[in-house]
Amino acid sequence: MISYIRGELVYISEDKAVVDVGGVGYGIFMPAKSLSQLPPPGKEVKIHTYLNVKEDAMQLYGFLTRDALEVFRLVIGVSGIGPKGGLGILSQLTPDELRFAVMANDVKAISAAPGIGKKTAEKLILELKDKLSIEDVLTHQMEGEGTVQNASSCGQEVQSDAVQALTALGYGGTEALRAVRQVETDENTTVEELLKKALKFLM
């Protein structure tokens, strides 16, 4: 089992990165979001990996954080979703957005991923509801490895109330969460202020 790969980033293609480790180039399939966050070629990177072994191929799938890798493992554990489908889902949604989509029964957000239909999205929600915690969405700690979304400075309760208010207004749970997380805040930010700023990202 290859838990992670650390080495020099050689190049980035449409769906994978190639990392040189001791003169061996490892091709690692990654979500589009992760590929866009990699440093320029020539820099050292550490990528958490999952090795998928098939009869005719051995493929590496990689993520910038252990959290993303663990979510990927849960996703491909759902019957009918393979590594390619799991990669598509995590290219469409961040791990936190996927958690919220599952908790909010947001079939539309999950089925927007390539190759994932409505029935598969519904099955994923059903099977992962007890395995993904909504609390992790707003309290998730940055691992200090790679680039992840900026953490908000205001309290978890304020963010949660703002997301709930936006969903009550008719916005999808996932897009509401994404908008709230884009707002720059401080410890004094109120729900009303957060709502006003978040709405600008939804217009």
Side-chain angles (χ1 to χ4, degrees), residues 45-62:
V45 293
K46 178 180 179 181
I47 300 174
H48 299 271
T49 56
Y50 172 84
L51 177 62
N52 183 52
V53 180
K54 299 190 297 184
E55 290 184 3
D56 58 346
M58 294 175 66
Q59 297 173 316
L60 278 171
Y61 293 84

mmCIF file with all atom_site columns, all heavy atoms in Angstrom, residues 45-62:
data_model
loop_
_atom_site.group_PDB
_atom_site.id
_atom_site.type_symbol
_atom_site.label_atom_id
_atom_site.label_alt_id
_atom_site.label_comp_id
_atom_site.label_asym_id
_atom_site.label_entity_id
_atom_site.label_seq_id
_atom_site.pdbx_PDB_ins_code
_atom_site.Cartn_x
_atom_site.Cartn_y
_atom_site.Cartn_z
_atom_site.occupancy
_atom_site.B_iso_or_equiv
_atom_site.pdbx_formal_charge
_atom_site.auth_seq_id
_atom_site.auth_comp_id
_atom_site.auth_asym_id
_atom_site.auth_atom_id
_atom_site.pdbx_PDB_model_num
ATOM 1   N N   . VAL A 1 45 ? 6.323   18.226  -3.703  1.00 0.00 ? 45 VAL A N   1
ATOM 2   C CA  . VAL A 1 45 ? 4.935   18.055  -3.288  1.00 0.00 ? 45 VAL A CA  1
ATOM 3   C C   . VAL A 1 45 ? 4.796   16.769  -2.471  1.00 0.00 ? 45 VAL A C   1
ATOM 4   O O   . VAL A 1 45 ? 5.611   15.852  -2.586  1.00 0.00 ? 45 VAL A O   1
ATOM 5   C CB  . VAL A 1 45 ? 3.976   17.979  -4.503  1.00 0.00 ? 45 VAL A CB  1
ATOM 6   C CG1 . VAL A 1 45 ? 3.910   19.301  -5.235  1.00 0.00 ? 45 VAL A CG1 1
ATOM 7   C CG2 . VAL A 1 45 ? 4.389   16.844  -5.455  1.00 0.00 ? 45 VAL A CG2 1
ATOM 8   N N   . LYS A 1 46 ? 3.764   16.731  -1.650  1.00 0.00 ? 46 LYS A N   1
ATOM 9   C CA  . LYS A 1 46 ? 3.409   15.514  -0.931  1.00 0.00 ? 46 LYS A CA  1
ATOM 10  C C   . LYS A 1 46 ? 1.947   15.234  -1.245  1.00 0.00 ? 46 LYS A C   1
ATOM 11  O O   . LYS A 1 46 ? 1.086   16.070  -0.994  1.00 0.00 ? 46 LYS A O   1
ATOM 12  C CB  . LYS A 1 46 ? 3.600   15.686  0.578   1.00 0.00 ? 46 LYS A CB  1
ATOM 13  C CG  . LYS A 1 46 ? 3.196   14.431  1.368   1.00 0.00 ? 46 LYS A CG  1
ATOM 14  C CD  . LYS A 1 46 ? 3.390   14.647  2.870   1.00 0.00 ? 46 LYS A CD  1
ATOM 15  C CE  . LYS A 1 46 ? 2.959   13.408  3.654   1.00 0.00 ? 46 LYS A CE  1
ATOM 16  N NZ  . LYS A 1 46 ? 3.110   13.601  5.121   1.00 0.00 ? 46 LYS A NZ  1
ATOM 17  N N   . ILE A 1 47 ? 1.687   14.074  -1.806  1.00 0.00 ? 47 ILE A N   1
ATOM 18  C CA  . ILE A 1 47 ? 0.335   13.724  -2.230  1.00 0.00 ? 47 ILE A CA  1
ATOM 19  C C   . ILE A 1 47 ? -0.092  12.428  -1.543  1.00 0.00 ? 47 ILE A C   1
ATOM 20  O O   . ILE A 1 47 ? 0.605   11.409  -1.630  1.00 0.00 ? 47 ILE A O   1
ATOM 21  C CB  . ILE A 1 47 ? 0.269   13.571  -3.762  1.00 0.00 ? 47 ILE A CB  1
ATOM 22  C CG1 . ILE A 1 47 ? 0.666   14.893  -4.440  1.00 0.00 ? 47 ILE A CG1 1
ATOM 23  C CG2 . ILE A 1 47 ? -1.137  13.157  -4.202  1.00 0.00 ? 47 ILE A CG2 1
ATOM 24  C CD1 . ILE A 1 47 ? 0.770   14.811  -5.955  1.00 0.00 ? 47 ILE A CD1 1
ATOM 25  N N   . HIS A 1 48 ? -1.219  12.472  -0.854  1.00 0.00 ? 48 HIS A N   1
ATOM 26  C CA  . HIS A 1 48 ? -1.770  11.295  -0.192  1.00 0.00 ? 48 HIS A CA  1
ATOM 27  C C   . HIS A 1 48 ? -2.448  10.436  -1.259  1.00 0.00 ? 48 HIS A C   1
ATOM 28  O O   . HIS A 1 48 ? -3.241  10.933  -2.060  1.00 0.00 ? 48 HIS A O   1
ATOM 29  C CB  . HIS A 1 48 ? -2.774  11.708  0.881   1.00 0.00 ? 48 HIS A CB  1
ATOM 30  C CG  . HIS A 1 48 ? -2.153  12.559  1.944   1.00 0.00 ? 48 HIS A CG  1
ATOM 31  N ND1 . HIS A 1 48 ? -1.560  12.041  3.064   1.00 0.00 ? 48 HIS A ND1 1
ATOM 32  C CD2 . HIS A 1 48 ? -2.002  13.911  2.032   1.00 0.00 ? 48 HIS A CD2 1
ATOM 33  C CE1 . HIS A 1 48 ? -1.078  13.021  3.813   1.00 0.00 ? 48 HIS A CE1 1
ATOM 34  N NE2 . HIS A 1 48 ? -1.335  14.159  3.206   1.00 0.00 ? 48 HIS A NE2 1
ATOM 35  N N   . THR A 1 49 ? -2.133  9.149   -1.272  1.00 0.00 ? 49 THR A N   1
ATOM 36  C CA  . THR A 1 49 ? -2.540  8.324   -2.408  1.00 0.00 ? 49 THR A CA  1
ATOM 37  C C   . THR A 1 49 ? -3.357  7.081   -2.047  1.00 0.00 ? 49 THR A C   1
ATOM 38  O O   . THR A 1 49 ? -3.279  6.550   -0.935  1.00 0.00 ? 49 THR A O   1
ATOM 39  C CB  . THR A 1 49 ? -1.302  7.861   -3.203  1.00 0.00 ? 49 THR A CB  1
ATOM 40  O OG1 . THR A 1 49 ? -0.406  7.180   -2.314  1.00 0.00 ? 49 THR A OG1 1
ATOM 41  C CG2 . THR A 1 49 ? -0.605  9.036   -3.843  1.00 0.00 ? 49 THR A CG2 1
ATOM 42  N N   . TYR A 1 50 ? -4.118  6.651   -3.039  1.00 0.00 ? 50 TYR A N   1
ATOM 43  C CA  . TYR A 1 50 ? -4.883  5.401   -2.973  1.00 0.00 ? 50 TYR A CA  1
ATOM 44  C C   . TYR A 1 50 ? -4.487  4.588   -4.193  1.00 0.00 ? 50 TYR A C   1
ATOM 45  O O   . TYR A 1 50 ? -4.551  5.077   -5.323  1.00 0.00 ? 50 TYR A O   1
ATOM 46  C CB  . TYR A 1 50 ? -6.385  5.691   -3.003  1.00 0.00 ? 50 TYR A CB  1
ATOM 47  C CG  . TYR A 1 50 ? -7.240  4.443   -3.130  1.00 0.00 ? 50 TYR A CG  1
ATOM 48  C CD1 . TYR A 1 50 ? -7.576  3.692   -2.009  1.00 0.00 ? 50 TYR A CD1 1
ATOM 49  C CD2 . TYR A 1 50 ? -7.691  4.009   -4.381  1.00 0.00 ? 50 TYR A CD2 1
ATOM 50  C CE1 . TYR A 1 50 ? -8.347  2.537   -2.127  1.00 0.00 ? 50 TYR A CE1 1
ATOM 51  C CE2 . TYR A 1 50 ? -8.459  2.869   -4.510  1.00 0.00 ? 50 TYR A CE2 1
ATOM 52  C CZ  . TYR A 1 50 ? -8.787  2.126   -3.377  1.00 0.00 ? 50 TYR A CZ  1
ATOM 53  O OH  . TYR A 1 50 ? -9.542  0.997   -3.490  1.00 0.00 ? 50 TYR A OH  1
ATOM 54  N N   . LEU A 1 51 ? -4.046  3.352   -3.973  1.00 0.00 ? 51 LEU A N   1
ATOM 55  C CA  . LEU A 1 51 ? -3.630  2.486   -5.074  1.00 0.00 ? 51 LEU A CA  1
ATOM 56  C C   . LEU A 1 51 ? -4.774  1.563   -5.459  1.00 0.00 ? 51 LEU A C   1
ATOM 57  O O   . LEU A 1 51 ? -5.242  0.763   -4.650  1.00 0.00 ? 51 LEU A O   1
ATOM 58  C CB  . LEU A 1 51 ? -2.411  1.655   -4.658  1.00 0.00 ? 51 LEU A CB  1
ATOM 59  C CG  . LEU A 1 51 ? -1.900  0.637   -5.695  1.00 0.00 ? 51 LEU A CG  1
ATOM 60  C CD1 . LEU A 1 51 ? -1.447  1.355   -6.971  1.00 0.00 ? 51 LEU A CD1 1
ATOM 61  C CD2 . LEU A 1 51 ? -0.770  -0.191  -5.108  1.00 0.00 ? 51 LEU A CD2 1
ATOM 62  N N   . ASN A 1 52 ? -5.240  1.698   -6.688  1.00 0.00 ? 52 ASN A N   1
ATOM 63  C CA  . ASN A 1 52 ? -6.321  0.851   -7.192  1.00 0.00 ? 52 ASN A CA  1
ATOM 64  C C   . ASN A 1 52 ? -5.721  -0.226  -8.095  1.00 0.00 ? 52 ASN A C   1
ATOM 65  O O   . ASN A 1 52 ? -5.079  0.071   -9.094  1.00 0.00 ? 52 ASN A O   1
ATOM 66  C CB  . ASN A 1 52 ? -7.325  1.698   -7.986  1.00 0.00 ? 52 ASN A CB  1
ATOM 67  C CG  . ASN A 1 52 ? -8.507  0.879   -8.457  1.00 0.00 ? 52 ASN A CG  1
ATOM 68  O OD1 . ASN A 1 52 ? -9.151  0.192   -7.667  1.00 0.00 ? 52 ASN A OD1 1
ATOM 69  N ND2 . ASN A 1 52 ? -8.811  0.959   -9.741  1.00 0.00 ? 52 ASN A ND2 1
ATOM 70  N N   . VAL A 1 53 ? -5.916  -1.476  -7.695  1.00 0.00 ? 53 VAL A N   1
ATOM 71  C CA  . VAL A 1 53 ? -5.339  -2.586  -8.441  1.00 0.00 ? 53 VAL A CA  1
ATOM 72  C C   . VAL A 1 53 ? -6.431  -3.319  -9.214  1.00 0.00 ? 53 VAL A C   1
ATOM 73  O O   . VAL A 1 53 ? -7.415  -3.788  -8.636  1.00 0.00 ? 53 VAL A O   1
ATOM 74  C CB  . VAL A 1 53 ? -4.622  -3.574  -7.494  1.00 0.00 ? 53 VAL A CB  1
ATOM 75  C CG1 . VAL A 1 53 ? -4.022  -4.728  -8.297  1.00 0.00 ? 53 VAL A CG1 1
ATOM 76  C CG2 . VAL A 1 53 ? -3.530  -2.864  -6.704  1.00 0.00 ? 53 VAL A CG2 1
ATOM 77  N N   . LYS A 1 54 ? -6.262  -3.397  -10.531 1.00 0.00 ? 54 LYS A N   1
ATOM 78  C CA  . LYS A 1 54 ? -7.191  -4.140  -11.381 1.00 0.00 ? 54 LYS A CA  1
ATOM 79  C C   . LYS A 1 54 ? -6.409  -5.230  -12.115 1.00 0.00 ? 54 LYS A C   1
ATOM 80  O O   . LYS A 1 54 ? -5.196  -5.287  -12.037 1.00 0.00 ? 54 LYS A O   1
ATOM 81  C CB  . LYS A 1 54 ? -7.854  -3.195  -12.399 1.00 0.00 ? 54 LYS A CB  1
ATOM 82  C CG  . LYS A 1 54 ? -8.659  -2.075  -11.762 1.00 0.00 ? 54 LYS A CG  1
ATOM 83  C CD  . LYS A 1 54 ? -9.491  -1.333  -12.791 1.00 0.00 ? 54 LYS A CD  1
ATOM 84  C CE  . LYS A 1 54 ? -8.620  -0.641  -13.832 1.00 0.00 ? 54 LYS A CE  1
ATOM 85  N NZ  . LYS A 1 54 ? -9.443  0.152   -14.786 1.00 0.00 ? 54 LYS A NZ  1
ATOM 86  N N   . GLU A 1 55 ? -7.110  -6.082  -12.823 1.00 0.00 ? 55 GLU A N   1
ATOM 87  C CA  . GLU A 1 55 ? -6.453  -7.176  -13.538 1.00 0.00 ? 55 GLU A CA  1
ATOM 88  C C   . GLU A 1 55 ? -5.462  -6.669  -14.575 1.00 0.00 ? 55 GLU A C   1
ATOM 89  O O   . GLU A 1 55 ? -4.411  -7.266  -14.790 1.00 0.00 ? 55 GLU A O   1
ATOM 90  C CB  . GLU A 1 55 ? -7.498  -8.056  -14.224 1.00 0.00 ? 55 GLU A CB  1
ATOM 91  C CG  . GLU A 1 55 ? -8.339  -8.877  -13.261 1.00 0.00 ? 55 GLU A CG  1
ATOM 92  C CD  . GLU A 1 55 ? -9.293  -9.800  -14.002 1.00 0.00 ? 55 GLU A CD  1
ATOM 93  O OE1 . GLU A 1 55 ? -9.236  -9.827  -15.253 1.00 0.00 ? 55 GLU A OE1 1
ATOM 94  O OE2 . GLU A 1 55 ? -10.086 -10.483 -13.338 1.00 0.00 ? 55 GLU A OE2 1
ATOM 95  N N   . ASP A 1 56 ? -5.820  -5.547  -15.211 1.00 0.00 ? 56 ASP A N   1
ATOM 96  C CA  . ASP A 1 56 ? -4.983  -5.055  -16.306 1.00 0.00 ? 56 ASP A CA  1
ATOM 97  C C   . ASP A 1 56 ? -4.272  -3.737  -16.008 1.00 0.00 ? 56 ASP A C   1
ATOM 98  O O   . ASP A 1 56 ? -3.633  -3.170  -16.889 1.00 0.00 ? 56 ASP A O   1
ATOM 99  C CB  . ASP A 1 56 ? -5.830  -4.895  -17.566 1.00 0.00 ? 56 ASP A CB  1
ATOM 100 C CG  . ASP A 1 56 ? -6.997  -3.934  -17.347 1.00 0.00 ? 56 ASP A CG  1
ATOM 101 O OD1 . ASP A 1 56 ? -7.296  -3.613  -16.180 1.00 0.00 ? 56 ASP A OD1 1
ATOM 102 O OD2 . ASP A 1 56 ? -7.605  -3.499  -18.338 1.00 0.00 ? 56 ASP A OD2 1
ATOM 103 N N   . ALA A 1 57 ? -4.370  -3.255  -14.764 1.00 0.00 ? 57 ALA A N   1
ATOM 104 C CA  . ALA A 1 57 ? -3.734  -1.960  -14.473 1.00 0.00 ? 57 ALA A CA  1
ATOM 105 C C   . ALA A 1 57 ? -3.605  -1.716  -12.969 1.00 0.00 ? 57 ALA A C   1
ATOM 106 O O   . ALA A 1 57 ? -4.349  -2.274  -12.163 1.00 0.00 ? 57 ALA A O   1
ATOM 107 C CB  . ALA A 1 57 ? -4.543  -0.830  -15.098 1.00 0.00 ? 57 ALA A CB  1
ATOM 108 N N   . MET A 1 58 ? -2.605  -0.883  -12.630 1.00 0.00 ? 58 MET A N   1
ATOM 109 C CA  . MET A 1 58 ? -2.450  -0.393  -11.259 1.00 0.00 ? 58 MET A CA  1
ATOM 110 C C   . MET A 1 58 ? -2.438  1.128   -11.356 1.00 0.00 ? 58 MET A C   1
ATOM 111 O O   . MET A 1 58 ? -1.600  1.699   -12.052 1.00 0.00 ? 58 MET A O   1
ATOM 112 C CB  . MET A 1 58 ? -1.145  -0.898  -10.643 1.00 0.00 ? 58 MET A CB  1
ATOM 113 C CG  . MET A 1 58 ? -1.113  -2.407  -10.447 1.00 0.00 ? 58 MET A CG  1
ATOM 114 S SD  . MET A 1 58 ? 0.481   -3.006  -9.843  1.00 0.00 ? 58 MET A SD  1
ATOM 115 C CE  . MET A 1 58 ? 0.518   -2.256  -8.213  1.00 0.00 ? 58 MET A CE  1
ATOM 116 N N   . GLN A 1 59 ? -3.397  1.772   -10.702 1.00 0.00 ? 59 GLN A N   1
ATOM 117 C CA  . GLN A 1 59 ? -3.535  3.225   -10.836 1.00 0.00 ? 59 GLN A CA  1
ATOM 118 C C   . GLN A 1 59 ? -3.487  3.900   -9.475  1.00 0.00 ? 59 GLN A C   1
ATOM 119 O O   . GLN A 1 59 ? -4.069  3.421   -8.498  1.00 0.00 ? 59 GLN A O   1
ATOM 120 C CB  . GLN A 1 59 ? -4.855  3.570   -11.530 1.00 0.00 ? 59 GLN A CB  1
ATOM 121 C CG  . GLN A 1 59 ? -4.936  3.042   -12.957 1.00 0.00 ? 59 GLN A CG  1
ATOM 122 C CD  . GLN A 1 59 ? -6.303  3.252   -13.576 1.00 0.00 ? 59 GLN A CD  1
ATOM 123 O OE1 . GLN A 1 59 ? -7.320  3.020   -12.943 1.00 0.00 ? 59 GLN A OE1 1
ATOM 124 N NE2 . GLN A 1 59 ? -6.327  3.695   -14.830 1.00 0.00 ? 59 GLN A NE2 1
ATOM 125 N N   . LEU A 1 60 ? -2.802  5.040   -9.434  1.00 0.00 ? 60 LEU A N   1
ATOM 126 C CA  . LEU A 1 60 ? -2.713  5.837   -8.210  1.00 0.00 ? 60 LEU A CA  1
ATOM 127 C C   . LEU A 1 60 ? -3.673  7.014   -8.289  1.00 0.00 ? 60 LEU A C   1
ATOM 128 O O   . LEU A 1 60 ? -3.741  7.717   -9.312  1.00 0.00 ? 60 LEU A O   1
ATOM 129 C CB  . LEU A 1 60 ? -1.290  6.370   -8.018  1.00 0.00 ? 60 LEU A CB  1
ATOM 130 C CG  . LEU A 1 60 ? -0.255  5.425   -7.400  1.00 0.00 ? 60 LEU A CG  1
ATOM 131 C CD1 . LEU A 1 60 ? 1.125   6.067   -7.493  1.00 0.00 ? 60 LEU A CD1 1
ATOM 132 C CD2 . LEU A 1 60 ? -0.606  5.121   -5.950  1.00 0.00 ? 60 LEU A CD2 1
ATOM 133 N N   . TYR A 1 61 ? -4.417  7.233   -7.219  1.00 0.00 ? 61 TYR A N   1
ATOM 134 C CA  . TYR A 1 61 ? -5.295  8.398   -7.104  1.00 0.00 ? 61 TYR A CA  1
ATOM 135 C C   . TYR A 1 61 ? -4.785  9.222   -5.927  1.00 0.00 ? 61 TYR A C   1
ATOM 136 O O   . TYR A 1 61 ? -4.468  8.666   -4.865  1.00 0.00 ? 61 TYR A O   1
ATOM 137 C CB  . TYR A 1 61 ? -6.743  7.957   -6.870  1.00 0.00 ? 61 TYR A CB  1
ATOM 138 C CG  . TYR A 1 61 ? -7.329  7.246   -8.073  1.00 0.00 ? 61 TYR A CG  1
ATOM 139 C CD1 . TYR A 1 61 ? -7.119  5.883   -8.277  1.00 0.00 ? 61 TYR A CD1 1
ATOM 140 C CD2 . TYR A 1 61 ? -8.068  7.951   -9.029  1.00 0.00 ? 61 TYR A CD2 1
ATOM 141 C CE1 . TYR A 1 61 ? -7.630  5.233   -9.400  1.00 0.00 ? 61 TYR A CE1 1
ATOM 142 C CE2 . TYR A 1 61 ? -8.581  7.311   -10.149 1.00 0.00 ? 61 TYR A CE2 1
ATOM 143 C CZ  . TYR A 1 61 ? -8.352  5.958   -10.327 1.00 0.00 ? 61 TYR A CZ  1
ATOM 144 O OH  . TYR A 1 61 ? -8.853  5.328   -11.439 1.00 0.00 ? 61 TYR A OH  1
ATOM 145 N N   . GLY A 1 62 ? -4.677  10.529  -6.130  1.00 0.00 ? 62 GLY A N   1
ATOM 146 C CA  . GLY A 1 62 ? -4.045  11.342  -5.103  1.00 0.00 ? 62 GLY A CA  1
ATOM 147 C C   . GLY A 1 62 ? -4.830  12.557  -4.658  1.00 0.00 ? 62 GLY A C   1
ATOM 148 O O   . GLY A 1 62 ? -5.663  13.103  -5.401  1.00 0.00 ? 62 GLY A O   1
#
